Amino acid sequence: MKRFLVLAALLLAALPLAFAPTRLAADPADIAAASRSVVRVVLIDRGLGGVTLVGHGSGFAVGPDLVLTNAHVVAPLAEDSSMSVGIVPSQGKSGYFAKIVAFSPKNDLALLRLTEKGALSPATLFTGAVTDGEDVYAVGYPGNVDQAQGLNPADLMSPVAPVKTRGAVSAGRSSKGFETILHTAPIGSGNSGGPLLDNCGRVIGTNSFGTVSDTSADSEFYFAVSMREMTRFLLNAGVTARTTGEPCRSLAELDAAERERQAGARAQTEEQQRLEADKRDARLQAATRQAEMEVIVSRENHLALAGLSLILAILCGAAAIWLAQQGRKRDSKIGSALSAVLLILSPAAWFTRPSIAGIDSRAKEIVAEQDEGAPAPAPAATSPAGETTMTCVFNPQRSRVTVSATTDVPLTWRGDGCANGRTQFGLGGEGWSRLVAPQGEDTATIASYDPATHTYREDRFLLDQDTMSKIRADRARDPAPACGAGEEAARRLGDSQAASRASLPAQPNERLVYDCSPAR
């Protein structure tokens, strides 16, 4: 009995774990992609003794030439005019000088603008709610890591990958001075101004400071400036950052939902086909009953005509005999002729009566006549060149969004794979697709369109500069043909794109799915 009670207690203890919601694990590719926007903010003294590194912190790009950081990182500039501030990105070959364009010590935020030509990768800010216990990632340049690596001041002014740490949100506590997010993702001196990211790599806060303890037994906690404070600060500075409020979903979750949707669509199609078959059977049965009535009535009419013709033939023959006896030869001949005609008509009516075996063919004729009389479906809006102009509407249930906008996409599609009259898609085993890696961007996109389901999709890969350069070089060596080059050219493009895909990660960072319908 005691053993049974122990087992029961263990089962009851396990029930909450069995039914607890699964925590979304971050995709390392998302965090790595978001880290491209993180920069090191360095303070440089350009005095008589030359250029020396005074200190450094972290920041992240909110525009191609704008960096958000902590006010306390750049506060020494207000006290020493000989200092300058530099921005060292995580990738590339060099850094840039910058200037302060907005400064707010009350919520520890500052905005820097590059003073020389440069193009940073902007981060995406998440405007949704931050939930208690969710995993978060701090990204930046802690000085203790630099020291452990043996980096010298010159190294700190060269591009290097930032450090990523993981923790969780502890909601419900904020600093008194300004609104903050309390979390446990470790940060050190030098992390100040770096972003706090969610599982999809969206910024939810700006790391600012940590707790101070007199005993090593205390747990360490850290504070990040909240999104509300950041949004207000950027708005006052006239900056429109890239934002999203889309929930964070894993590709595994999305793929599972897509398989379920496809299974449901197949079941719906099969049910529709069954209903259509039932309708066809019902129509055929009704037509068969109608054909039976028509055949029976026709047979009865033929039989009646045969009998009536035979009776009339006998009467006409008798009349012809009587008229001959009366000496009325001319009338007797007319009666004989009529009798002969009726004698021919009687067996003709008998032998031409419809057969019972003809009911099935007549039923099919009735169904065909009904189909011919039904109104034809309205044709899709197409141009004389066979193009279909559509509006493709974003489907959030089938999509995974981390950083991109989700506005509707206009699409003019032609049967030979020409999109919008100028872009030729490649044809391969997975249908029509186009791989693009535009200059000046850090995202490679595989756009695809399925004419059967009217679905437009974009798989987006957030890549480092080296990978983007490799893909651009591949596409430059084998450019896409012009629209209308033919199926063989489209298949060659599909094959060359398949080779270029080998440089891409196994999974995209984003998948945007759109449902297309003819434009009105």
Side-chain angles (χ1 to χ4, degrees), residues 350-376:
W350 174 269
F351 288 111
T352 58
R353 69 190 188 279
S355 170
I356 297 297
I359 292 176
D360 290 342
S361 59
R362 175 56 187 153
K364 293 177 181 178
E365 290 176 0
I366 292 172
V367 172
E369 291 169 359
Q370 292 173 348
D371 290 340
E372 289 178 2

Side-chain angles (χ1 to χ4, degrees), residues 138-372:
V139 185
Y141 293 93
N144 52 5
V145 174
D146 297 330
Q147 291 174 3
Q149 286 183 286
L151 300 184
N152 58 43
D155 294 328
L156 300 188
M157 289 186 281
S158 300
V160 64
V163 176
K164 313 169 193 69
T165 59
R166 177 182 175 183
V169 170
S170 180
R173 300 288 295 272
S174 175
S175 65
K176 294 183 65 174
F178 52 91
E179 186 176 278
T180 56
I181 299 172
L182 179 62
H183 67 89
T184 61
I187 60 175
S189 176
N191 270 108
S192 294
L196 185 67
L197 307 176
D198 69 1
N199 274 326
C200 280
R202 288 90 63 92
V203 178
I204 61 173
T206 303
N207 286 311
S208 181
F209 60 94
T211 55
V212 178
S213 174
D214 295 329
T215 169
S216 59
D218 287 346
S219 299
E220 293 184 343
F221 294 90
Y222 309 93
F223 293 85
V225 183
S226 73
M227 182 57 61
R228 186 178 304 179
E229 298 281 358
M230 293 161 54
T231 302
R232 187 182 302 116
F233 173 76
L234 292 173
L235 183 63
N236 291 336
V239 175
T240 302
R242 191 161 65 180
T243 62
T244 182
E246 295 291 334
C248 183
R249 304 176 65 190
S250 70
L251 275 176
E253 174 191 358
L254 190 66
D255 289 339
E258 185 66 13
R259 287 193 295 270
E260 184 177 347
R261 186 199 68 82
Q262 290 177 354
R266 284 194 298 270
Q268 185 177 8
T269 300
E270 292 170 358
E271 178 65 13
Q272 185 66 29
Q273 291 173 346
R274 187 188 66 79
L275 292 175
E276 291 293 333
D278 290 345
K279 288 180 181 179
R280 288 194 300 271
D281 291 343
R283 289 176 61 201
L284 185 58
Q285 290 175 7
T288 300
R289 289 192 294 269
Q290 180 181 340
E292 288 175 350
M293 293 300 298
E294 291 180 0
V295 168
I296 290 172
V297 170
S298 181
R299 284 175 63 86
E300 290 176 350
N301 290 339
H302 278 70
L303 291 174
L305 179 60
L308 180 60
S309 299
L310 182 59
I311 292 171
L312 290 176
I314 294 172
L315 291 176
C316 287
I321 295 171
W322 182 79
L323 290 172
Q325 292 174 351
Q326 297 297 318
R328 297 168 59 183
K329 294 182 178 181
R330 184 174 178 275
D331 292 336
S332 176
K333 289 180 180 179
I334 295 173
S336 298
L338 288 174
S339 177
V341 170
L342 291 169
L343 283 173
I344 296 172
L345 179 61
S346 178
W350 174 269
F351 288 111
T352 58
R353 69 190 188 279
S355 170
I356 297 297
I359 292 176
D360 290 342
S361 59
R362 175 56 187 153
K364 293 177 181 178
E365 290 176 0
I366 292 172
V367 172
E369 291 169 359
Q370 292 173 348
D371 290 340
E372 289 178 2

Side-chain angles (χ1 to χ4, degrees), residues 126-131 134:
F126 179 60
T127 57
V130 177
T131 57
E134 75 170 270

Side-chain angles (χ1 to χ4, degrees), residues 19-106:
F19 292 98
T22 302
R23 294 184 69 178
L24 175 65
D27 186 338
D30 291 336
I31 307 303
S35 299
R36 300 172 310 172
S37 67
V38 181
V39 301
R40 192 195 296 267
V41 179
V42 295
L43 298 183
I44 302 169
D45 188 352
R46 294 192 287 188
L48 296 177
V51 177
T52 57
L53 179 67
V54 178
H56 73 92
S58 302
F60 58 95
V62 292
D65 62 345
L66 293 171
V67 171
L68 187 67
T69 187
N70 286 147
H72 75 261
V73 171
V74 294
L77 270 71
E79 302 173 1
D80 190 343
S81 59
S82 66
M83 285 189 188
S84 299
V85 60
I87 302 299
V88 184
S90 60
Q91 56 184 359
K93 296 181 179 180
S94 63
Y96 313 97
F97 284 106
K99 64 179 180 179
I100 301 173
V101 292
F103 188 73
S104 179
K106 66 179 182 179

